[in-house]
Amino acid sequence: MGQPIVLESSQHVYAFAPEMTPAGFADSGAIVLFKTADAFNGQITSPDDTLAELNFDAVNPATGPLHVKNAQPGDILAVDILHMSTGTTGIILTVPGSGVLRAMTDAVTRIVKIGAHWIQFSDQVRIAKQPMMGVIGVATKEQRIPTGTPGRHGGNMDTRDIAAGATLYLPVFQEGGLLAMGDAHAAMGDGEVSGTGVECTSETLVRVRVLKNQSLDWPWLDNQKERMVIVSAESLDDATGEATEQMVRHLAQALDKGLDEAYMLMSSAGSLRISQVVDPLVTVRATIPRLYLD
Ligand code: CA
């Protein structure tokens, strides 16, 4: 194995769009190191720095995009997340008018130390470190979508399972796929209710693979235990409905069973989980243990 291709955090975008200028090129099967800035691009370094107004066009720098050779519209780009290391400083924020508790008026910034296995949340409380990538996606079909917004192209899905050991499958809409990622979190709870996880820089090693002629409606993810579809929509009702339908149709096809059978299996063994409810669209994942697919 040769040296990985390296994309520096200075090579970043603030939107996914149909036309994007590649920051690098790779063959299918290549290993690539993405160095990512934190979601605020280094602007917040002390508790005195707050974001009174969060402009979703000017945060969430995503390193890339990477052009993967031979990725064509209608293919899948598989991203094997091999390893994630984080910076040693984390940022946690509350933002007035943002998050689930929108009436909470204080803008509070906490800077925390990220160790090898733990985040020192307070003098008394440590949180287990579970690095994940908040923003990861590809060039869009038609729209210019800020990196703060999730969608069919991926983007700001803020899904805890997008972590080392997982494979994320993204639909390819443009030649080369044009993969970019950023907004790493050293840890994040489902929902991301205040609007941030433990925001940090990262060095994330991935393998990119092109799967020819296999289209997807939404991003899918496999980890050791589960398969899931990650759906973003205006409302939780819309997102749960679409995620459930996607998974039920997938189960019916994969198991060669009727929709009723697949629906009952999803209802008995699958789960719906909230990824985040604080971005311009909300994100829900429908999951099924992989043992039912074997
Ligand atoms: Ca995010």
Side-chain angles (χ1 to χ4, degrees), residues 248-264:
V248 168
R249 290 191 183 283
H250 175 72
L251 287 173
Q253 189 177 35
L255 304 175
D256 196 21
K257 302 284 188 192
L259 285 176
D260 289 343
E261 179 88 4
Y263 198 16
M264 289 190 289

Side-chain angles (χ1 to χ4, degrees), residues 60 134-135 156 158 183 185 192 279:
N60 289 313
V135 172
N156 196 10
D158 282 324
D183 182 33
H185 303 138
E192 203 190 18
D279 296 333

Side-chain angles (χ1 to χ4, degrees), residues 159-208:
T159 294
R160 304 171 76 171
D161 302 289
I162 302 174
T167 297
L168 180 68
Y169 300 92
L170 294 164
V172 174
F173 297 112
Q174 305 294 342
E175 189 166 341
L178 298 165
L179 176 71
M181 67 184 76
D183 182 33
H185 303 138
M188 189 198 90
D190 271 339
E192 203 190 18
V193 293
S194 91
T196 76
V198 181
E199 309 288 329
C200 61
T201 61
S202 88
E203 295 195 2
T204 298
L205 194 67
V206 304
R207 183 192 298 112
V208 289

